[in-house]
Amino acid sequence: MKHIDEYRDEKVISGMASTISRRKAAKPLKFMHVCGTHENAIARFGLRALLPEWIRIIAGPGCPVCICPTEDIDLASQIALEKKAAIVTFGDMMKVPATDGSLFDVKSSGGKIHVVYSPSDAVSMARENPYEEICFFGVGFETTAAPVAAAILSRPPDNFSMISSHRIIPPALELLLNRDDVAIDGFILPGHVTTVMGYSEYEDFPKKYGKGVAIAGFEPADVLLAILNLVEQVIEKDYKVFNCYRRSVTREGNRLAREAIQNVFEISDSRWRGIGIIKNSGLKLRTEFQKYDAVKKFQLRKEKESIDLNPGCLCHLIMIGKIEPPECPMFGKRCTPEFPYGPCMVSSEGTCRLHHGL
Amino acid sequence: MCLGIPMKVVKIEENLGIVETGGVKRRIFLDLIDDVKEGDYVIVHAGYAIHRIDEKEAQENLDLIRQYLSATELS
């Protein structure tokens, strides 16, 4: 297939892997990616096995389902059960454990929960069912926030509302760069978040933190090229933002998508599950779209504190790249894809789920 | 949510498009991109095209891989 096969070429892949192996940095290197789709590609194509042992690729807080705070899932459950509104969301959200169970459990208890592929499907449901309240539970980073913004700009009817649990990537990376206990030698930036937002926001990183940054697509050659480039940056001590995904990413990003996000949302301090509140890392609806804000519309009272992590769950350490899934005592025992105990075991973008096997 | 693969636009009607990859067809919205025409390849996320792949950028990407490989192999 065009624009895919070229990046899965066996000769290119083995050539890159052997080039990386021949390079030698002065110390072992640890690179972090921040995208569930990168972890998926790395697992699916077995890329870790192609790398020399002195390079480790770890997953950061790049799975939107994993970092969605329990309080937002609890809110969705409450809306479904107490207000009898239909919650409409992405399939990956169904099994995520929350304080009193997952959305799947809510559905079993009679709550209306529907899975969609696109936020526009939720808007269509509201148009087609004018006597039913439809509440879209929106999670995801900039890449998902843009389609959600476009759906809101299509002026959904009054029986539509949403929970905005959208997050943006740069503040999370800065948080990790400012922590002493997470030693990272470079970042692999998420290709499609950067397709939307461009990479100008990251241009301070190399100088400010002395770390390399490479933007990667999702085919094996893309990921290996980013790793190769980061190794070169470390060896040359010449840190920069390098765009390895030129067929999709420009410095400015997608103007229409950025404008849609800006018109619909404003930046807010937001909680990341297992990590806590990160300043200026979330997107909430602007004043002119408040009529779609489910929290305001349903005037819910919080009855108890939400619990982000079950006792013994180490997803918070996995999400910041401090430990890897097999180091968690729950991994593969009490926590499995069939019965996830922590959020990272649920989604096909979750680090634990991908380490466990696709 | 993110398929991460380019899909070919086979039909356009106003802000809607039909895209295809490997025999799978899907209806998408084109609100977030400019100047798309039938036959173009786009990257789709959550039902919306978020990028149109330009042939020049695609060639530049392949050249980058080749140049990078040959340069590092020589060093």
Side-chain angles (χ1 to χ4, degrees), chain A residues 86-106:
Chain A
I87 293 291
V88 183
T89 192
F90 299 119
D92 279 352
M93 289 307 296
M94 292 298 286
K95 274 191 178 178
V96 188
T99 309
D100 289 322
S102 64
L103 291 177
F104 190 76
D105 296 325
V106 171

Side-chain angles (χ1 to χ4, degrees), chain A residues 2 118 144 229 246-247 254, chain B residues 32 45-46 50 55 61 68:
Chain A
K2 199 177 172 188
S118 168
T144 315
N229 176 262
R246 297 183 185 185
R247 62 194 186 281
N254 176 333
Chain B
L32 298 175
H45 185 86
I50 56 163
E55 282 303 322
N61 208 148
Y68 215 82

Side-chain angles (χ1 to χ4, degrees), chain A residues 81-277:
Chain A
L81 292 172
E82 287 175 22
K83 305 293 172 183
K84 307 293 176 203
I87 293 291
V88 183
T89 192
F90 299 119
D92 279 352
M93 289 307 296
M94 292 298 286
K95 274 191 178 178
V96 188
T99 309
D100 289 322
S102 64
L103 291 177
F104 190 76
D105 296 325
V106 171
K107 194 177 167 80
S108 307
S109 312
K112 286 184 204 154
I113 312 281
H114 301 289
V115 168
V116 286
Y117 165 69
S118 168
S120 61
D121 297 335
V123 175
S124 302
M125 282 173 76
R127 290 207 170 101
E128 286 156 18
N129 301 281
Y131 301 109
E132 191 172 1
E133 279 296 332
I134 303 290
C135 176
F136 178 65
F137 183 12
V139 301
F141 299 111
E142 293 92 327
T143 331
T144 315
V148 171
I152 294 289
L153 290 171
S154 75
R155 300 278 164 184
D158 289 348
N159 61 325
F160 175 90
S161 61
M162 71 169 294
I163 299 168
S164 173
S165 196
H166 298 287
R167 300 288 180 269
I168 56 176
I169 292 283
L173 296 194
E174 292 232 68
L175 178 104
L176 292 176
L177 286 166
N178 283 312
R179 282 183 72 130
D180 296 332
D181 57 342
V182 189
I184 301 157
D185 298 293
F187 280 113
I188 301 171
L189 284 192
H192 290 161
V193 166
T194 325
T195 296
V196 167
M197 300 305 286
Y199 54 81
S200 59
E201 284 180 276
Y202 301 95
E203 284 173 336
D204 282 351
F205 282 22
K207 214 176 194 177
K208 198 166 160 193
Y209 299 103
K211 308 283 179 196
V213 175
I215 304 151
F218 302 100
E219 298 301 332
D222 290 318
V223 178
L224 291 176
L225 179 63
I227 294 167
L228 179 53
N229 176 262
L230 287 173
V231 171
E232 293 291 328
Q233 290 196 37
V234 173
I235 290 172
E236 305 293 333
K237 293 194 175 59
D238 180 17
Y239 301 109
K240 55 190 139 198
V241 177
F242 193 79
N243 183 7
C244 303
Y245 194 27
R246 297 183 185 185
R247 62 194 186 281
S248 187
V249 171
T250 60
R251 183 176 183 272
E252 290 72 30
N254 176 333
R255 183 183 54 84
L256 286 177
R258 273 193 3 235
E259 280 174 7
I261 294 174
Q262 227 161 37
N263 289 338
V264 170
F265 296 112
E266 60 184 302
I267 303 278
S268 62
D269 294 349
S270 294
R271 184 177 294 281
W272 294 49
R273 185 169 188 159
I275 296 174
I277 289 176

